[in-house]
Amino acid sequence: MKSFRFCFLMLTIAILASPALSDLVLSKVDRRIYLTSHIVRISSTVKVENAGPEKESLVLLAFPEQQAKNMAYLMATPHEGKGKVKNPVVALPVEAANPKDMPAALTFYSVSLPKGLAEGDSFTFDVLAVFTHALRPIPEQITQADIQLVLYQDSAHYLSPYAVKVQSLSVKLPDSRIESYTKLENTKIHGSEIKYGPYENLPSFSYSPIAVHFESNLPFAVAQELVREIEISHWGNVQVTEHYKLIHGGAQSKGEFSRLDFLARPNIRGASAFRYLVANLPPRAHSVYYRDEIGNISTSHLRGDSKKTELLIEPRYPMFGGWRTAFTIGYGLPLQDFLYESDGKRFLNITFSSPMVELVIDALIVKVVLPEGSSDISVAASFPVEKWQETKISHLDIDGRPVVVLKKTNVVPQHNQFFQVYYHFSQLSMLREPLMLISGFFFFFVACIVYMHADISISKSSASYLAKQQWEEVQAVIQQVQNIISRCLTTHDNLEASLRDLSRTGNIQACKAARKAADGLLKELSKELKPLLTFLRSSPSAAQVLPKVEELVAKERELQEKVMVKHSTVVDGYEKKSGARDIENRVALQQQKLTALRQEVDDLLEFIDEYNIKC
């Protein structure tokens, strides 16, 4: 409040020092301020008269600098009285103005009248000014259970560089719950409406500050950024994809959030939150989806008729003050409803802004993706926008698709007007992608035919083929070595089995016979192993694996010797009729060495197997 009073003081000093401008007089001003949402709309009906001898064709509109910063939309139209047939609205030209000797604390716009006003002539027109972020939450932080109170500040007098004969003001609120408001002369309150005036014979730059502190739990939905991508396909579809970054722009939520309390009493324990948004999509919208980074969001409802398609969406959680969410909406539209042809050029005619009801957009980026091959591109919009061109590479594109990018800040629903993108596109360009597909399949099948009939085997005289053949021979020999070692290990197991039979039956002769058979078999296996080792030592391809093979053979021979020693010790003990415990004690140390050697042999066999598989 202190900052507001200081700004008012500086503004008053500035405007009192300013002279009146021209001989125009505002004979009647009827102003209406709508505070029924977080978007402030001020509608003024102004009747201007020329009291001087010179013709006047421009009327200046004045706004305080702070208010002008929040202005999102300004339009002037000729006033049509009650009972008259409503004609299509033709807006009067409105431009920023910089008149001389005017206070810097004011921002001016000029309205061009349809014709100049001679002395005594009058003209009535309507002015619509739309403001964003003009409602200030007080208090700035509230809990889940609190209601949201906001403050609006303005002037009860119509701020103008011209004298005003009669003027009145009405302030319309969401409901009748008002914390406080400025009481001036001729102030009346009727339910949710506060009326100031009428006030007569006001001098130029008259200013009387007012403040209204009231309850407003309506959705303060603000899109900090919205990216709309409109992609045209001449095969019959216009695909619209909208990426939202949304925030609740009201009083910041503080304290803990209880979902249980919110679900039990949402109108009390969540009065300031909003739970859903409504989007009025174009008629015949189809393939509608609503999702975020997690995936599809099922809390949406779609209904439509011949005039519109209404989409009601619910975020994953209720939106309290300061809370944010991000989501994407997409839908398809029939091409024939939005694409037209004129003077040999095609043009897209579609709405500019978001279909969301009562949404403020801090930054809006609209991308119109045209078909590949489009040229001579131009844009027509009813308000100023930043624009540039990009290129988007998509499937089956060669040069990429031209993208027209439009950007505008501080966007309100009044900006959701039709704009046009004109471009030239040849019908032959539509055949580009089908021909690419046909050609691609044709060359693919030709390549398959050539592959099936061509001999692409490696020559038998090449170095790579010879190296591969040598390695395959080495692998076969190594496999034979492994088989011989495995047979040796089986023989060792048979000797161990004969010792177990000896301890059970005491048949020494049978045990000696098993020993004799094992000796003969192991000698034969040793003979088979010698030429295989000789081959591996002579083959360069076996250089890396040869040390492991030789180690395997050496370990097996050592194991063989230990097994024979153990066998002889046990048999000798039984022949001397030693006790079983005495025999076990004599071979206990030998058994430990046998177990360790057997484990080493098994590990080497496993290593050689893995090496063969890798190579």
Side-chain angles (χ1 to χ4, degrees), residues 166-294:
V166 180
Q167 79 105 46
S168 62
L169 168 66
S170 67
V171 181
K172 296 187 178 182
L173 307 175
D175 53 50
S176 58
R177 286 172 286 190
I178 304 172
E179 287 288 303
S180 63
Y181 65 95
T182 303
K183 296 180 178 65
L184 301 175
E185 183 183 0
N186 294 340
T187 302
K188 299 177 183 178
I189 182 168
H190 299 283
S192 61
E193 183 177 7
I194 304 173
K195 293 186 176 181
Y196 291 92
Y199 301 111
E200 298 180 355
N201 301 321
L202 298 177
S204 60
F205 298 108
S206 179
Y207 194 86
S208 179
I210 59 171
V212 183
H213 193 202
F214 60 98
E215 179 180 339
S216 178
N217 292 314
L218 297 170
F220 274 53
V222 179
Q224 292 180 313
E225 182 182 72
L226 168 58
V227 179
R228 298 188 76 214
E229 184 174 273
I230 305 169
E231 186 167 354
I232 301 173
S233 170
H234 282 183
W235 296 101
N237 188 59
V238 177
Q239 182 63 37
V240 181
T241 307
E242 301 175 352
H243 305 278
Y244 290 84
K245 291 182 180 178
L246 204 68
I247 185 174
H248 187 306
Q252 300 288 306
S253 177
K254 67 177 181 179
E256 296 181 350
F257 166 68
S258 171
R259 182 173 288 275
L260 180 62
D261 290 346
F262 176 78
L263 294 175
R265 295 178 293 175
N267 294 329
I268 299 176
R269 291 287 182 171
S272 62
F274 64 85
R275 287 162 286 175
Y276 62 86
L277 295 168
V278 177
N280 292 323
L281 307 181
R284 301 210 294 167
H286 59 86
S287 306
V288 181
Y289 63 85
Y290 166 45
R291 62 177 180 233
D292 59 11
E293 292 181 351
I294 300 175

Side-chain angles (χ1 to χ4, degrees), residues 191-442:
S192 61
E193 183 177 7
I194 304 173
K195 293 186 176 181
Y196 291 92
Y199 301 111
E200 298 180 355
N201 301 321
L202 298 177
S204 60
F205 298 108
S206 179
Y207 194 86
S208 179
I210 59 171
V212 183
H213 193 202
F214 60 98
E215 179 180 339
S216 178
N217 292 314
L218 297 170
F220 274 53
V222 179
Q224 292 180 313
E225 182 182 72
L226 168 58
V227 179
R228 298 188 76 214
E229 184 174 273
I230 305 169
E231 186 167 354
I232 301 173
S233 170
H234 282 183
W235 296 101
N237 188 59
V238 177
Q239 182 63 37
V240 181
T241 307
E242 301 175 352
H243 305 278
Y244 290 84
K245 291 182 180 178
L246 204 68
I247 185 174
H248 187 306
Q252 300 288 306
S253 177
K254 67 177 181 179
E256 296 181 350
F257 166 68
S258 171
R259 182 173 288 275
L260 180 62
D261 290 346
F262 176 78
L263 294 175
R265 295 178 293 175
N267 294 329
I268 299 176
R269 291 287 182 171
S272 62
F274 64 85
R275 287 162 286 175
Y276 62 86
L277 295 168
V278 177
N280 292 323
L281 307 181
R284 301 210 294 167
H286 59 86
S287 306
V288 181
Y289 63 85
Y290 166 45
R291 62 177 180 233
D292 59 11
E293 292 181 351
I294 300 175
N296 185 61
I297 305 175
S298 59
T299 52
S300 61
H301 306 280
L302 183 70
R303 57 178 178 267
D305 51 34
S306 59
K307 295 183 179 180
K308 67 176 181 179
T309 302
E310 185 176 88
L311 174 66
L312 186 145
I313 64 173
E314 295 184 32
R316 291 189 182 273
Y317 44 83
M319 295 290 293
F320 285 86
W323 289 18
R324 304 169 188 268
T325 186
F327 58 87
T328 299
I329 293 176
Y331 50 93
L333 301 171
L335 182 69
Q336 63 271 24
D337 292 354
F338 299 92
L339 191 68
Y340 305 92
E341 193 167 354
S342 175
D343 298 330
K345 296 182 72 174
R346 303 168 191 257
F347 68 94
L348 175 74
N349 187 46
I350 198 168
T351 51
F352 178 77
S353 185
S354 167
M356 293 287 182
V357 176
E358 293 299 288
L359 178 68
V360 171
I361 307 171
D362 290 339
L364 172 62
I365 298 175
V366 180
K367 297 183 178 182
V368 181
V369 184
L370 302 176
E372 187 178 24
S374 301
S375 59
D376 195 13
I377 302 168
S378 59
V379 179
S382 56
F383 41 80
V385 294
E386 295 181 49
K387 52 189 173 184
W388 65 89
Q389 288 193 21
E390 298 176 351
T391 301
K392 178 181 179 180
I393 303 295
S394 185
H395 52 277
L396 299 179
D397 288 343
I398 299 175
D399 300 324
R401 306 183 184 190
V403 181
V404 178
V405 184
L406 309 176
K407 182 177 181 181
K408 185 168 180 59
T409 58
N410 209 17
V411 178
V412 291
Q414 280 70 21
H415 288 119
N416 199 23
Q417 303 174 16
F418 284 91
F419 73 103
Q420 297 77 38
V421 178
Y422 294 85
Y423 63 97
H424 179 76
F425 184 78
S426 172
Q427 289 283 12
L428 294 177
S429 298
M430 292 183 63
L431 302 176
R432 179 183 299 181
E433 292 183 358
L435 289 176
M436 286 179 61
L437 285 173
I438 294 170
S439 302
F441 280 109
F442 173 76

Side-chain angles (χ1 to χ4, degrees), residues 139-150:
E140 296 181 352
Q141 292 185 340
I142 58 175
T143 64
Q144 179 181 349
D146 294 336
I147 60 173
Q148 180 173 261
L149 300 174
V150 296

